[in-house]
Amino acid sequence: KNIPSGGKVYYSLSLNGGFGNIEDLNAGEGAYISDFPKLCRFGGVSAERFSHVLRQNGMTMDFDVDFSTTSVKGTVPKNSLDYMMRALLTVMNDMSADEEAFDRYIRSEHLRLNAHAGGLKERICVIDSLMCPGYRYISSKVRTLPAKGLAAKAEKFFRSRAEKVND
C-alpha cells in the first residue's frame, strides 16, 4: 500500500533471540540490555556521536531487545538507503562496549529507581516474583544493582546476534 511518508523509509531488522538467550542473567538485568547499544562505541566513536551523525543525515536508529527478539529499527530518507545499510553494517560489525559508561548508567538508573520506589512497575515485579520464584527474565528494571560484568554479557550477546546477519 502506498502511503504518504514524507520521503522517509521505515526500516526494521529483527533477529531471533532476546535477553532470554543470555546465560547467568540475574533478575531484572534483561531490562538493561536494550539500553546497552546507547552506551557503546560504533566504528570507534561513541554511540552518542554515532547517533548525532545519523540524525544529521535525517536518519534514526533504535534498538529493542525483549525476551525472544532483538531488533534495530528507525527511519531514513529515501535517497539514503545505501548510507543506512552502511550504518547497519557498522553496528553489526564494529560495536564495542564502553564498560565505564555502562556502569555509570547502571548506577544512575539504580538511583532513579530508588527515588521512585513503590511504583506500579515495582509492585508488578514483586507480584511476579511471588508467583514465579526464581524467574530471572523480568522485562522491568529492579532496584537491586545488576552484577558486575553485565556489559561483557551484553556485548557477547550482541556479537552473537550480529553473527546471524548475512553480509
Side-chain angles (χ1 to χ4, degrees), residues 13-22 30 33-34 64-72 92 137 154 156-162 164:
L13 171 64
S14 293
L15 305 167
N16 285 336
F19 62 78
N21 293 63
I22 301 174
I33 302 299
S34 284
D64 186 36
V65 182
D66 60 24
F67 180 78
S68 62
T69 309
T70 300
S71 62
V72 181
M92 292 297 144
Y137 300 104
K156 181 180 175 186
F157 167 73
F158 276 103
R159 285 193 194 284
S160 72
R161 297 305 97 193
K164 295 183 176 210

Side-chain angles (χ1 to χ4, degrees), residues 113-125:
L113 290 169
N114 282 332
H116 295 89
L120 178 62
K121 280 189 173 184
E122 185 174 358
R123 289 189 299 244
I124 290 171
C125 287

Side-chain angles (χ1 to χ4, degrees), residues 39-63:
L39 302 160
C40 284
R41 299 184 71 73
F42 299 105
V45 300
S46 69
E48 184 178 329
R49 178 73 181 138
F50 185 76
S51 180
H52 177 73
V53 170
L54 293 179
R55 282 192 312 271
Q56 293 283 18
N57 289 287
M59 293 177 56
T60 63
M61 185 178 290
D62 297 307
F63 297 85

Side-chain angles (χ1 to χ4, degrees), residues 143-162:
R143 282 195 291 154
T144 57
L145 276 171
K148 290 285 184 191
L150 182 58
K153 287 180 191 177
E155 183 176 23
K156 181 180 175 186
F157 167 73
F158 276 103
R159 285 193 194 284
S160 72
R161 297 305 97 193

Side-chain angles (χ1 to χ4, degrees), residues 71-116:
S71 62
V72 181
K73 50 189 157 188
T75 60
V76 61
K78 286 182 183 178
N79 60 351
S80 296
L81 289 173
D82 60 335
Y83 190 74
M84 185 255 326
M85 293 303 288
R86 289 182 185 159
L88 280 173
L89 281 172
T90 299
V91 165
M92 292 297 144
N93 295 325
D94 200 2
M95 175 193 280
S96 60
D98 184 345
E99 291 191 31
E100 183 179 312
F102 194 64
D103 289 342
R104 190 172 46 250
Y105 166 74
I106 286 176
R107 286 192 305 274
S108 69
E109 278 296 288
H110 179 68
L111 292 173
R112 187 187 66 78
L113 290 169
N114 282 332
H116 295 89

